[in-house]
Amino acid sequence: MESKDYLKDISEIKNLMNKSSRFISLSGLSGVLAGIYALVGAAIAYFLVKNSDRGYLILDGYIFKLCLLILALVAILSIATGIILTTKKAKKQGVKIWDNASKRLVINFLIPLLSGGLYILIVLCQGKYGQTAALMLIFYGLALVNASKYSIGDIKYLGIIDIILGLIAASCPGYGFWLWVIGFGIMHIVYGTWMHFKYDRN
């Protein structure tokens, strides 16, 4: 009997340590909505490009600037939705939204993401945009893997998938757009749905 109590105490201590070192209130539904935003944005961008006079993008073109605006809106909507739904979930769980665990999560997520974002801007300023989709997938995937140490570990699998898709896009530039759609759109919906039923509904 004492042995069982001892094991139970160890298990409870382990759970408390895990909760204190990891931010576990990420919302699966926010992932689903981020994927939907990405698909809608991609559809609008595809329509704009295909119905333009050239039928393709140029860096100083009006359509290119519109596509950048759409991309920015998708990112803003995804971040805002993630913050709102995660805050709501954290309050429901009685967990602080901004503590040491969430700070570590944000810092470790932003370091690869901002580095990648700056690198992509540098490449674009050099007039090269053929690898943009690949770079976005790779750096976003690295950010997820890096942040997974301080959150739900399962997000690293989404990160690994995005890295693989990014590498495929780098070797097959003509398919970068569609691989971007799979990585940021479809995989977010699949991952978010899985996380919602695994964690949010419990």
Side-chain angles (χ1 to χ4, degrees):
M1 190 70 180
E2 289 181 2
S3 177
K4 288 183 179 180
D5 291 339
Y6 179 70
L7 291 173
K8 185 178 178 182
D9 290 341
I10 291 177
S11 179
E12 288 178 356
I13 292 170
K14 184 179 178 181
N15 287 333
L16 286 171
M17 290 178 66
N18 188 50
K19 287 181 178 179
S20 65
S21 63
R22 289 173 177 261
F23 185 72
I24 58 174
S25 296
L26 293 177
S27 169
L29 186 57
S30 66
V32 174
L33 291 173
I36 292 172
Y37 299 152
L39 291 179
V40 171
I44 295 171
Y46 183 83
F47 176 82
L48 288 172
V49 173
K50 285 300 179 182
N51 288 278
S52 64
D53 295 334
R54 290 186 178 88
Y56 58 88
L57 290 174
I58 59 173
L59 284 175
D60 59 348
Y62 174 70
I63 300 298
F64 182 77
K65 292 175 182 176
L66 275 180
C67 289
L68 286 181
L69 177 61
I70 291 168
L71 186 62
L73 288 174
V74 168
I76 291 168
L77 281 172
S78 299
I79 293 169
T81 302
I83 291 172
I84 291 168
L85 293 181
T86 298
T87 300
K88 184 177 179 182
K89 182 179 175 182
K91 286 181 178 178
K92 187 176 180 181
Q93 293 176 332
V95 177
K96 288 183 179 180
I97 188 66
W98 192 244
D99 56 10
N100 289 331
S102 59
K103 289 175 185 176
R104 287 193 293 266
L105 169 64
V106 171
I107 291 170
N108 282 271
F109 180 73
L110 287 180
I111 289 172
L113 194 69
L114 292 179
S115 300
L118 290 172
Y119 179 68
I120 291 170
L121 287 176
I122 292 169
V123 171
L124 288 174
C125 289
Q126 294 173 348
K128 304 170 186 177
Y129 59 90
Q131 296 291 338
T132 303
L135 291 171
M136 289 176 68
L137 285 165
I138 290 170
F139 279 104
Y140 179 66
L142 289 171
L144 289 176
V145 172
N146 199 45
S148 66
K149 300 178 294 228
Y150 304 100
S151 181
I152 298 169
D154 295 338
I155 66 171
K156 71 182 175 185
Y157 301 117
L158 176 61
I160 291 169
I161 290 171
D162 279 339
I163 292 170
I164 293 170
L165 289 172
L167 292 172
I168 295 171
S171 60
C172 307
Y175 297 95
F177 173 80
W178 299 110
L179 289 165
W180 187 96
V181 168
I182 293 171
F184 285 99
I186 295 171
M187 290 312 305
H188 262 120
I189 293 173
V190 171
Y191 162 80
T193 302
W194 177 47
M195 297 299 289
H196 176 71
F197 284 100
K198 184 176 181 180
Y199 295 103
D200 295 358
R201 290 174 64 88
N202 293 333

